[in-house]
């Protein structure tokens, strides 16, 4: 039977960002330098494929330093950690390498600057996400109030005094939906006109660019596949952005095996993108699987070129 025709719209940029690239390299270099095992606290980035590849090379993933059975090197994940974690590593005499993305660390520093200026901090982000736990953990308990939605922003009651003058500031998680975050900031600015904050938000360049590319391909797509993991915030946001931008059939898949081929019924154009933690090999695996079933024409739609690159910690380059 002849294959049906399908157009694939490949979003660009997609996949690995500079922070993910750096974090993976930190684990690889640590393995070369110190030998296996190298422990990694939390998934280095939220992707099973990446984690399994590093496990094959000798990395061991744990959620708590307590699980490390001796004086082995440990890498902190790209999402960042509360201040108590390096302190704990020092108490345990562990050699640690911090793979926190420099753009997450920048938000940590913003939080510290606001705190030093006597401001109460509103963090816009998702409860329980490791980046949010890490950012809140830069400051003493009670210094930060978490806001997840515009509805939250309407009702939060910052500590007495801070909301009246200019002793209030906001910061954000780096992987949020741009549009939702703007909505939340609008509420905060209306309620607290003197609130301090970044020029826009703290959403990083990679999140911004991947969402921009999805907004271009979604209206042209009958189906849109986002390659990424369910615990990956930036990947989940790409699904929401695609649905909001005109492609209700947008799904998150970790691998080719998760594709439900019934999604393709009656479909002529399929958009494809990948979260910042999803490797290009998985994108190519998905494309090959589609090509086995359909006569495909591939078109890459690029909204911008990315040139950002982050240096490795000196401990690994000296
Ligand atoms: O869940 P997420 O989007 O924050 O993390 P993921 O590991 O999927 O992607 C990299 C993003 C990081 C480390 C947070 F900035
Ligand atoms: Fe850094 Fe952004 Fe990548 Fe997160 S998504 S690791 S903040 S560049």
């Amino acid at each position: 039977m002849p294959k049906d025709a399908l157009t694939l719209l490949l979003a660009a940029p997609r996949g690995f960002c500079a922070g993910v690239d750096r974090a993976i390299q930190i684990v690889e270099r640590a393995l070369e330098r110190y030998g296996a095992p190298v422990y990694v606290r939390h998934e280095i980035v939220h992707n099973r494929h990446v984690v399994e590849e590093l496990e094959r090379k000798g990395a061991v993933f744990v959620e708590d330093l307590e699980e490390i059975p001796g004086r082995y090197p440990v890498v902190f994940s790209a999402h960042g950690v509360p201040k108590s974690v390096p302190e704990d590593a020092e108490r345990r005499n562990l050699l640690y390498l911090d793979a926190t993305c420099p753009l997450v660390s920048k938000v940590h520093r913003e939080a510290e600057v606001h705190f030093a200026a006597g401001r109460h901090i509103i963090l816009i982000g998702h409860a329980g996400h490791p980046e949010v736990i890490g950012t809140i953990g830069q400051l003493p308990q009670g210094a930060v109030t978490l806001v997840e939605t515009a509805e939250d922003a309407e009702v939060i009651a910052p500590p007495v005094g801070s909301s009246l003058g200019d002793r209030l500031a906001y910061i954000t998680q780096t992987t949020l939906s741009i549009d939702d975050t703007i909505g939340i900031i609008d509420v905060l600015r209306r309620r607290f006109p003197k609130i301090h904050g970044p020029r826009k938000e703290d959403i990083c360049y990679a999140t911004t660019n991947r969402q921009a590319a999805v907004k271009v391909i979604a209206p042209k797509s009958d189906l849109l596949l986002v390659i990424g993991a369910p615990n990956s915030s930036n990947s989940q946001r790409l699904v929401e952005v695609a649905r909001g931008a005109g492609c209700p059939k947008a799904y998150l898949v970790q691998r080719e095996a998760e594709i439900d081929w019934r999604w393709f019924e009656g479909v002529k154009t399929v958009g494809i993108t990948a979260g910042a933690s999803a490797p290009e090999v998985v994108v190519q695996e998905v494309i090959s699987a589609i090509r086995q079933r359909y006569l495909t024409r591939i078109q890459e739609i690029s909204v911008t070129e990315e040139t950002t690159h982050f240096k490795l910690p000196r401990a690994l380059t000296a």
Side-chain angles (χ1 to χ4, degrees), residues 26-193:
I26 289 175
V27 180
E28 288 174 341
R29 292 280 190 103
L31 281 162
E32 281 162 24
R33 184 169 281 231
Y34 307 111
V38 164
Y39 282 78
V40 184
R41 184 188 177 278
H42 191 68
E43 289 190 339
I44 186 74
V45 298
H46 290 147
N47 188 275
R48 283 312 303 164
H49 188 274
V50 170
V51 166
E52 283 163 17
E53 282 290 296
L54 292 172
E55 278 173 343
R56 275 198 319 105
K57 295 178 182 171
V60 179
F61 289 83
V62 294
E63 284 304 315
D64 200 297
L65 302 190
E66 208 176 79
E67 297 165 57
I68 303 174
R71 289 188 59 193
Y72 296 104
V74 57
V75 179
F76 304 149
S77 85
H79 316 92
V81 288
K83 280 226 163 89
S84 58
V85 173
E87 285 166 8
D88 187 19
E90 270 161 33
R91 259 196 313 274
R92 292 171 193 274
N93 258 317
L94 299 177
L95 170 80
Y96 65 86
L97 293 157
D98 189 356
T100 303
C101 175
L103 298 180
V104 174
S105 302
K106 182 171 155 265
V107 181
H108 291 179
R109 284 196 303 274
E110 268 176 61
E112 286 179 321
V113 167
H114 288 309
F115 184 70
R119 296 173 192 139
H120 183 77
I121 293 150
I122 295 173
L123 169 62
I124 304 172
H126 295 291
H129 188 281
E131 182 181 329
V132 163
I133 293 170
T135 301
I136 292 176
Q138 299 306 303
L139 297 176
Q141 240 189 347
V144 180
T145 299
L146 182 66
V147 161
E148 295 192 82
T149 61
E151 290 73 39
D152 285 355
E154 289 287 2
V155 296
I156 45 146
V160 178
S162 63
S163 57
L164 304 172
D166 63 354
R167 296 218 329 264
L168 196 60
Y170 71 85
I171 55 174
T172 79
Q173 196 176 339
T174 57
T175 55
L176 302 176
S177 145
I178 303 256
D179 296 336
D180 292 353
T181 307
I182 290 172
I184 296 172
I185 293 169
D186 284 348
V187 174
L188 293 176
R189 288 199 178 285
R190 171 169 48 74
R191 288 193 63 207
F192 312 111

Side-chain angles (χ1 to χ4, degrees), residues 15-21 23 45 78-79 99-105 107 131 173-175 202-208 210 234 276-277 308 310:
F16 279 9
C17 59
V20 164
D21 222 35
V45 298
H79 316 92
T100 303
C101 175
L103 298 180
V104 174
S105 302
V107 181
E131 182 181 329
Q173 196 176 339
T174 57
T175 55
D202 298 305
I203 297 170
C204 74
Y205 81 94
T207 301
T208 307
R210 280 151 193 69
N234 79 89
S277 45
T308 306
F310 297 127

